[in-house]
Amino acid sequence: MLFKKLIRTVGRYKAQFISMIIMVALGIGIFLGFNIEWKTLEVNVAKAFEDTGFADYRIMNERGFSAADVEAIEKIEGVTAASRFLSVTVPRKESDDLLALTITENPAVSGFKVIEGEAYDSEDAEGLWISERYAKENDLSVGDTFTMVYKNIEFSGPIRGLVKSGEYLICLLQEGQLMPDYQKNGFVYISPAYMKRVIGITFYPQINVRSDLDKDTMIAKAEEALGKTYMVVDKELVTSYSEAHGEMEEGKTMAALLPVIFLAIAVLTMITTMHRISISEKTQIGTLKSLGFKDRRILRHYTTYGVFIGLIGTAIGVGLGFLIGYMFVNPHSVMGDYMDMEHWELHMPLYSIAVIVAINIFLILTTMYSVASMMKGTAAEALKPYAPKAMRRMWIENKKAWKNLSFATKWNIRDILRHKSRSFMTVFGIVSCMLILIASFGINDTLNSFIDDFFEKSMCYQNKITLDIEQASNADVDALIEKYDADWCAELGIQIGDNAYSMQVYSLDHGYYQFVKGHGEYISLPEDGVLICERIARKENLKVGDTVSVSVYGTSEKYDLKVVDIAKSISESIMLSKSYADNIGMNYQVNELFTNVMEVEDSPFISSSQSKQTVVDTFNSFIYIMFLMIAMLVIIAVILGVVVLYNLGIMSYAERYRELATLKVVGFKDRHISRILIDQNIWMTVLGVALGIPAGVGILKILLVMLAGDYELSLTITFTTYLISILLTFGVSFFVGLMVSRKNKKIDMVEALKVAE
Amino acid sequence: MKIVEISHVSRVYKVGDHEQKALDDVSLELESGKTIVILGPSGAGKSTLLNLLGGLDSPTSGTIKIKGKDISTLNADQLAEYRASGVGFIFQAYNLIPTLTVLENVALVKEIAKDPLSSHDMLREVGLGEHMYKFPVELSGGEQQRVSIARAVTKNPDILLCDEPTGALDTETGVMVLKLLQSMAKEHGKTTIIVTHNQNIAKMADVVVHVKNGKIKEVINNDKPLAVEEVEW
């Protein structure tokens, strides 16, 4: 019999039950979705690295390593495998496409996995193993002939296999490139035999190492084995590893921030709703008690509601979580545009199961507590309807101004203060809605301004020419500068202490390059010192006026540089003018030209050219993905706002039913009563919006630091963002207010004012 | 003058497929300025009658004229206006707004009534001058009912409608409330309609209407209504 009651009670409170289920589902769904995102990446990226023997360390020597060197490294205790390795960026013949031409002596280190075609054969001096992704994008298949040209040497041969490699998990081959372009970039593996056939020699400037040793031990042992100090780069500095792990970290950060807000809202909604349902069920609870049902039985009966909501909410939430996870991470998502990975199966972290179980237990406990508090005492006490706290006079009422307030205002103020938890939840719901809107639109604004600052405005040239510094003499470079009427830049690898950075010397007579100080704020290079980027300033603890000592990588040159200003930069760089570099007697070699000339003639001194437009275009997919995420967050924020506010609205409506009926009996029109309710709604919304704006800006700041500390983004929120967020939030609040107040017409005065039994 | 003219009024409630006639072809005329008691057992239809008179409900058929104006065809807003100025309600459960003070509960109606009286004066008149700034919960039941009377009279309506006004009160308090009701009605010249199942209250009425099974059984004019004190409780 109680089961029948259970079903009917669910029907009676269907708005509340549905909103609780939605909140639990949203909370769990978002929590799970965000966690699935990073866990899926973690598992599948690790698999990709493991499958293809991704190297833990790279030992660098521009002059090349001998076979004895690699043997010595392999003998180090703690080294699993080592391989001499070469990777050079080479254009495809008669095309702008760039490919990383790669040779690894030992295919177990920094190798590849064949997806289609023949297995690798180190004796094969003819064939190529090409990036599967690039092949698919360019309609290449096994057996086709593929040709690249490097320094007038053709590398050509039949494609033996389509492959994937951890080394090129995120295939970024150009400076300043943020998104890989698998249509234009890829990689090609050839065997050492192939290299020997084509160039006559083998040359390996790198030994890649698989090892569990920590970096310091590795450096020390490598030095011992090779008898000389070489630069050892650990995997943290390799794009594929660092970017992929950056994505996971971002995912973890997001998972720790946004879902928590949703879970908190879900939990709070559950508490308040359950409490309110128990209140209105109090006489029923009392009736059951007086009929002789034991407390335990009644408790069990009501706890079923919690279980019911929990199970349905969890089921929907888990489905939603996997859907969200899939939206973020699948081969056709932005993540798929970013990473070239074989496996994309979804995985969830174990603790998310624990969290889901905990939420359900909490829901049950909340239900039990709410019911138990209504059941206290004797059956007679339980039978009495719930008595809300008595009104007391508030300090505010002693003020003169109070007397002049309209009845509606007084009623609203008292109503808000009397139902503090409900008012708090309402404001909390609005704040959350506002916060998510501001933060999501703000991310969009910030990224747009980032692109605007660093690409549209900072790069004032149309075309960038990269020189082949090994081929070009100073005279050749000067001739090219004149020919293309170019500004130029010379890039040097430097170290401050043990940390590697980049340093650029600029000659900017045409003003083809500007340095970003803040959003829309540009500075030019000083004559008497250097600009450093924010990250170097932070890591090396430098401020304006300090002197920083740098040593140029690969040489014994050291310079003391005066920090004149701090700028924003995409790469970790120190930037200085030609005149300052010349003053302090710095050696440099020009390697990039900035020009407005679009047609670049073939020249042995030029390795590639890249138009500004290409760079800007690579952002389009990036922006598109952001747009999708933002659209999702905005939709969720709106759903959240509607559900929380509607739920509260319905509950408060039920609580005030008698009062509203009295007003109606006394002669207030429906419109008038609606206005009172809507007034209160507006106050709460104004308060929520006022609190939501700083909260949103705060969250956005945290997000930017955590997610994009690498890009030195300047927080930007446009007026439109504020306007849209405010309008949307008010829209939600107003819409819900109308839905609730429409019910006024249905108030049954006769029924409402019957003597409470 | 005839203040109430009810002719052939029926009120049918639908409960599922089943129809229930709460009032069945009722006709009744009442004179202005009188105290009218509607008597009957529970379920007789007396509260339905009161609700129809108060504009809380509309008849299924028939017409109800108050001061010559038909209220049976009014829309929701017009009914609200009628309730705001035409009638004052006094309920068994008082129905005060818990979040408003005594004074505010009474003053509330001044926002909607056409020609309201002073709420301060009225509260003094019902003897609550001292308690104006208290909240309803701080008052006894009798005091709360007095606030309810003050609220009804402040609207300055033609008719006071009382639904078991003493139902929730002990005899002594009930007598006081009735006394107040009678004197307020006399002083302000109101027609008072009291619905009750308490036979004793009928002795103070000018007109007693007996209702049973949705029909009016008889209407008795009482030439010598007793003062409240004279009634044996």
Side-chain angles (χ1 to χ4, degrees), chain A residues 374-385:
Chain A
M374 293 301 138
M375 224 161 48
K376 266 186 287 188
T378 64
E381 279 166 325
L383 261 176
K384 282 184 202 151

Side-chain angles (χ1 to χ4, degrees), chain A residues 211-224:
Chain A
S211 167
D212 295 332
L213 297 173
D214 65 50
K215 191 179 179 187
D216 290 338
T217 320
M218 189 69 224
I219 291 173
K221 293 217 168 173
E223 191 174 340
E224 199 182 309

Side-chain angles (χ1 to χ4, degrees), chain A residues 513-524:
Chain A
Y513 206 90
Q514 298 191 79
F515 300 88
V516 183
K517 175 74 184 165
H519 175 46
E521 212 186 315
Y522 305 94
I523 47 177
S524 48

Side-chain angles (χ1 to χ4, degrees), chain A residues 407 414 664 666 669 671, chain B residues 77 81 83 99 104 155:
Chain A
F407 145 74
R414 291 224 182 87
K664 210 166 162 172
V666 166
K669 289 179 188 161
R671 231 176 312 129
Chain B
D77 273 0
E81 274 165 38
R83 291 195 299 270
T99 49
E104 286 160 1
K155 281 205 256 181

Side-chain angles (χ1 to χ4, degrees), chain A residues 84-148:
Chain A
R84 290 194 290 170
F85 184 84
L86 169 78
S87 171
V88 274
T89 304
V90 177
R92 182 181 182 182
K93 193 184 181 186
E94 285 155 10
S95 155
D96 291 338
D97 298 1
L98 291 177
L99 297 113
L101 182 65
T102 312
I103 304 163
T104 183
E105 239 184 342
N106 173 1
V109 182
S110 300
F112 54 82
K113 184 174 179 186
V114 178
I115 304 296
E116 195 188 323
E118 295 172 26
Y120 175 70
D121 174 5
S122 59
E123 298 305 316
D124 186 336
E126 304 285 331
L128 314 171
W129 284 263
I130 190 166
S131 150
E132 186 228 18
R133 189 79 180 265
Y134 176 82
K136 289 266 156 71
E137 298 273 352
N138 288 283
D139 288 328
L140 295 168
S141 24
V142 174
D144 290 356
T145 301
F146 189 76
T147 311
M148 295 157 288

